[in-house]
Amino acid sequence: MSQSLTPAALPKPSMPRPVNLALQGGGSHGAFTWGVLDGLLQDDRIHIEGISGASAGAVNAVALAHGLATAAEQAPQGGKAPDDRTAARAALRNIWQGVEAMGSLGSMAESLSKMMLGGWSSSKVGANFFANAMNQWMSPYQSNPLDINPLRKLLEKEIDFEAIARQASPKVFVSATHVATGQVEIFTGKRLNLQAIMASTCLPTVFRATEIDGKAYWDGGFSSNPALLPLINQCHSSDIIVVQLNPLKRENAPQTPQEIMDRVNELTFNASLLSQMRTIDFINRLLADGRLKEGDSYRSLFLHRIDGGEALEDLPASSKMSADSAMIQQLFDMGQRAAQRWLRKHFESLGQQSTVNIRRDYVGSLPQEF
């Protein structure tokens, strides 16, 4: 466990601080993560060593890595990549402008809802109500037999996966859920391709399962949202910044059907993160107590979080299926400001201490011996 130091007492960095990024999935709420990444990329004191993402977090991860990789390959031999951070910011913007151009992620469902609900728009009864109704009547294998997914064409156009694989840094890890076992599958290196991203973003109520090597996969958020273990095992930095989209808590118990389903959605897609955070806290305490020896196998980890706070909590989970331009721009602005606030307040803590109270926020009332 790290010693307790105040930011003012910490030394000024002589070189960029290496960090790992863990990017949660959350549909179009991933535009908040876009803003966070844009803010981090503007600060040259930050060096991104590894990125782990699920679903929309996976899309953001490969967009950032694509920008850095393609800029690096344009650099003269032995020289520095020109404007690699600018290229990464541009790549992220291109992806999200493409998402805006696609319109609502639920546009196909919207057309069907008007037929099934007597001409009513699904927005009048709530996206979760419609999703539940659709699940009872038909699956994507009937409603979308051609497996049409506009995100595939966008990523195919904008992302050079081979360039990402050729670069040693940053390391990129994308999670998907193996349908047969429920276990997480991590795609990285040469296995990180377009099909892997389609697997990581595959919502089973909207799209058919994505097949890779004869195995079916669903959205990575079900099993690891996002995966922290690769950042621990395959990266050197002890700092992990989690960009969190799903609220950890709600003050009031949900009562309406839509509120209940929204909260179920949030709990489902936070479950794996809570489990991983509890494990990290357990290892940190064993190291602090001397019951584990710090070395190649184990090291203290410093956890950090950037989230949207109350502003992001005001958006219902059902809005994750919207690609409204105004909402996406608002989320981007929120994310950029959140990153800038975090850097002003916590940058000096990198490499020194966690800025998240893991026991309070993620562990809760579990027994101390856990």
Side-chain angles (χ1 to χ4, degrees):
M1 188 79 69
S2 61
Q3 55 184 325
S4 180
L5 298 173
T6 61
L10 302 177
K12 294 290 184 182
S14 58
M15 60 181 62
R17 294 260 174 87
V19 301
N20 294 314
L21 303 178
L23 312 180
Q24 265 201 332
S28 57
H29 289 190
F32 173 84
T33 303
W34 165 35
V36 170
L37 298 178
D38 191 84
L40 295 177
L41 287 165
Q42 291 182 64
D43 194 324
D44 58 10
R45 298 174 301 169
I46 295 289
H47 169 70
I48 300 170
E49 181 188 2
I51 317 171
S52 178
S55 199
V59 174
N60 278 315
V62 295
L64 188 155
H66 162 85
L68 295 177
T70 52
E73 294 194 345
Q74 294 170 9
Q77 189 171 6
K80 186 179 183 300
D83 299 321
D84 54 347
R85 291 171 181 265
T86 301
R89 294 175 65 201
L92 283 159
R93 180 169 293 279
N94 289 341
I95 286 293
W96 284 99
Q97 285 179 340
V99 170
E100 290 181 34
M102 287 191 305
S104 171
L105 298 177
S107 57
M108 290 185 292
E110 178 71 17
S111 298
L112 286 167
S113 74
K114 289 181 179 179
M115 293 187 293
M116 294 178 63
L117 300 173
W120 283 43
S121 166
S122 62
S123 62
K124 301 297 183 184
V125 294
N128 280 317
F129 173 90
F130 175 65
N132 292 337
M134 283 290 291
N135 290 342
Q136 294 179 28
W137 291 99
M138 63 180 70
S139 80
Y141 292 83
Q142 289 82 48
S143 62
N144 186 14
L146 299 180
D147 200 26
I148 298 171
N149 188 338
L151 182 62
R152 176 182 290 276
K153 287 187 176 181
L154 175 63
L155 294 175
E156 204 168 24
K157 173 187 173 186
E158 296 291 344
I159 305 298
D160 186 341
F161 289 96
E162 292 182 357
I164 295 173
R166 286 192 292 266
Q167 295 299 313
S169 179
K171 296 178 181 178
V172 183
F173 309 96
V174 163
S175 61
T177 303
H178 186 207
V179 177
T181 65
Q183 296 176 353
V184 61
E185 182 85 10
I186 303 297
F187 296 91
T188 189
K190 292 182 179 180
R191 293 190 72 215
L192 179 55
N193 54 25
L194 176 61
Q195 197 70 348
I197 302 300
M198 300 315 298
S200 185
T201 59
C202 180
L203 286 174
T205 55
V206 181
F207 304 110
R208 299 170 64 174
T210 300
E211 287 201 7
I212 300 175
D213 297 330
K215 298 177 181 178
Y217 294 94
W218 282 344
D219 193 295
F222 290 116
S223 57
S224 202
N225 190 25
L228 303 184
L229 190 60
L231 300 176
I232 299 169
N233 289 344
Q234 300 186 45
C235 297
H236 298 292
S237 174
S238 293
D239 289 285
I240 298 177
I241 301 176
V242 178
V243 182
Q244 187 148 353
L245 300 180
N246 295 301
L248 285 170
K249 63 180 181 179
R250 294 285 187 182
E251 295 300 328
N252 300 314
Q255 297 184 4
T256 69
Q258 182 170 342
E259 289 172 347
I260 292 169
M261 289 308 300
D262 278 351
R263 190 56 181 152
V264 168
N265 176 293
E266 291 167 352
L267 294 174
T268 299
F269 285 98
N270 268 342
S272 64
L273 180 62
L274 266 66
S275 176
Q276 293 176 91
M277 286 290 202
R278 289 164 181 161
T279 301
I280 289 172
D281 177 71
F282 181 55
I283 298 298
N284 274 353
R285 286 190 289 112
L286 290 178
L287 289 167
D289 295 344
R291 287 180 284 173
L292 276 181
K293 184 178 180 181
E294 190 148 359
D296 293 336
S297 299
Y298 299 100
R299 69 182 187 278
S300 295
L301 295 170
F302 306 122
L303 274 296
H304 315 276
R305 180 179 65 239
I306 300 177
D307 60 37
E310 293 181 1
L312 196 58
E313 290 174 13
D314 286 342
L315 293 173
S318 51
S319 65
K320 295 175 182 178
M321 292 295 286
S322 169
D324 175 72
S325 295
M327 186 187 77
I328 285 178
Q329 187 58 51
Q330 179 188 13
L331 286 165
F332 168 79
D333 292 340
M334 287 167 50
Q336 193 179 59
R337 290 194 299 269
Q340 292 165 351
R341 283 194 305 270
W342 189 91
L343 287 166
R344 286 195 300 269
K345 186 175 182 181
H346 296 301
F347 174 79
E348 298 295 348
S349 295
L350 290 173
Q352 304 292 329
Q353 63 181 11
S354 292
T355 57
V356 167
N357 188 326
I358 302 178
R359 293 200 64 76
R360 180 194 65 202
D361 294 348
Y362 296 96
V363 178
S365 57
L366 289 176
Q368 291 291 319
E369 59 270 18
F370 170 79

